[in-house]
Amino acid sequence: MHGLNPRRAAEARAALQMAAGAGAALYLATALGLPHPYWSVISAIVVIQASVGGGVLTVARDRAIGTATGAVVGAAVAFTRPEGMAGLAGAIALATAILAFFGAGRPWLKVAPVTAAIVIAGGAGPDGPASLALDRVLEILVGSGVGVVSILLLFPRHARQTFRLQARDAAGEAAALLGLVLEGEPANAAEISRRRTDLKRRLDTLGQAAKNVIDLPGPQRETADRAALVRAFWRVRSDIVILGRGFQVEDAGPRLRPWKTAGERAVTRLEALSRGRPGEPLGQPDVALALGPAEDAGDIARGAAAIGLAHMFRDLDDLGERFVDLHLA
């Protein structure tokens, strides 16, 4: 995979993880004598898919808790339900409604109504609801465990590399957005709006990727806080928005030329981060640019530019330090 570009390599790793996890889950569930090994395969796939944009351990935990809860509730209702189709329909409706009510806003209970319905509907078989509930819990636990192990053992750096790539992409997008803002051209308004939305989407994805990186104990453990890097990115985006309010004021370009020159240093720093280089720290902007001279009181354009630039320099230096701490630059 060394001959592939980073994106294609990440896709190839994800494909191999999925293939290995699904196959291992099927073999393990079959070896354990579980009656429906495909549930283990499904659980492994769901957990491995979480490595694309969510917390792997969180998904595995939620799936296990939801399955166990649904199995217990489903078995209890199945034992007490009246005989006949009306009793079966009422039992399923009652159990799923209760679990859906308590599961609202609780992701760990998302799968519980499904499991309860399966246990109740299948509990009329010769093995009974208790056996079915136990089998379902074991099948889900096996699949979830295989999914986590597949991610940890097969290409364990995949999530870390994905985070690095997405962080650099976000820096590049922020640089392009800031460059457009500094031009102060009304014709760029639609493109600026589109890039703001795109940067927001990238940061949402980056935040999910940060949750997926699992640091194991040992000398290679990274102690820096990835969530702090994501927060620094959000602050930089907010600074760009504030700075843009000044440059959007009609005919403000000539008055904001000093802020544009200073802002171009921030663009250069973001471009360096996007290439995996730390760049030069910005430090504190000139006092006149950070606060604005007294005679400009009431000038909305200069006021917004001054606030945005002062915060930008501080937050971008913090972002650069996070890049270095996490070995992204």
Side-chain angles (χ1 to χ4, degrees), residues 153-169:
L153 297 185
L154 189 61
F155 308 116
R157 296 193 175 199
H158 169 51
R160 189 173 287 104
Q161 291 170 342
T162 299
F163 179 78
R164 178 185 297 111
L165 180 63
Q166 291 179 352
R168 291 177 179 176
D169 284 350

Side-chain angles (χ1 to χ4, degrees), residues 18-309:
M18 187 69 72
L26 177 63
Y27 274 106
L28 182 57
T30 302
L32 293 174
L34 298 177
H36 302 292
Y38 58 84
W39 281 108
S40 296
V41 177
I42 292 172
S43 294
I45 291 173
V46 169
V47 171
I48 293 171
Q49 282 180 331
S51 66
V52 177
V56 175
L57 295 180
T58 300
V59 172
R61 179 205 65 193
D62 291 350
R63 193 162 177 79
I65 294 175
T67 299
T69 303
V72 170
V73 172
V77 173
F79 273 118
T80 58
R81 74 173 179 85
E83 295 295 330
M85 180 57 66
L88 176 62
I92 291 178
L94 176 63
T96 55
I98 292 174
L99 291 170
F101 177 82
F102 288 104
R106 298 177 177 87
W108 56 90
L109 290 179
K110 185 188 301 183
V111 75
V114 178
T115 304
I118 293 173
V119 170
I120 295 170
D127 295 331
S131 177
L132 182 60
L134 179 60
D135 289 340
R136 185 52 35 79
V137 171
L138 291 176
E139 289 156 3
I140 298 300
L141 289 178
V142 167
S144 298
V146 168
V148 172
V149 171
S150 297
I151 292 169
L152 292 178
L153 297 185
L154 189 61
F155 308 116
R157 296 193 175 199
H158 169 51
R160 189 173 287 104
Q161 291 170 342
T162 299
F163 179 78
R164 178 185 297 111
L165 180 63
Q166 291 179 352
R168 291 177 179 176
D169 284 350
E173 184 62 29
L177 173 59
L178 179 57
L180 281 174
V181 166
L182 294 176
E183 290 180 8
E185 295 291 338
N188 292 336
E191 179 66 8
I192 288 174
S193 177
R194 185 190 70 78
R195 286 188 175 273
R196 280 181 183 170
T197 301
D198 186 59
L199 181 57
K200 180 181 182 300
R201 177 183 59 80
R202 288 174 183 267
L203 296 184
D204 285 335
T205 302
L206 183 64
Q208 290 298 317
K211 298 177 182 177
N212 190 54
V213 180
I214 303 172
D215 286 321
L216 299 177
Q220 300 301 316
R221 179 179 175 85
E222 295 178 356
T223 57
D225 189 355
R226 292 176 187 84
L229 180 140
V230 178
R231 290 194 296 270
F233 253 127
W234 279 109
R235 291 196 299 271
V236 169
R237 181 185 181 274
S238 178
D239 300 336
I240 295 174
V241 172
I242 295 173
L243 194 65
R245 290 173 182 167
F247 281 86
Q248 288 170 1
V249 175
E250 187 176 359
D251 298 325
R255 303 199 306 278
L256 298 182
R257 190 168 290 112
W259 282 270
K260 179 180 179 180
T261 301
E264 288 170 348
R265 292 180 56 203
V267 173
T268 301
R269 184 80 193 275
L270 283 167
E271 289 174 343
L273 294 176
S274 72
R275 295 190 295 269
R277 300 174 183 173
E280 292 294 328
L282 300 176
Q284 294 292 330
D286 183 87
V287 175
L289 297 180
L291 300 178
E295 60 268 21
D296 291 326
D299 189 330
I300 296 176
R302 291 195 179 189
I307 294 172
L309 186 69

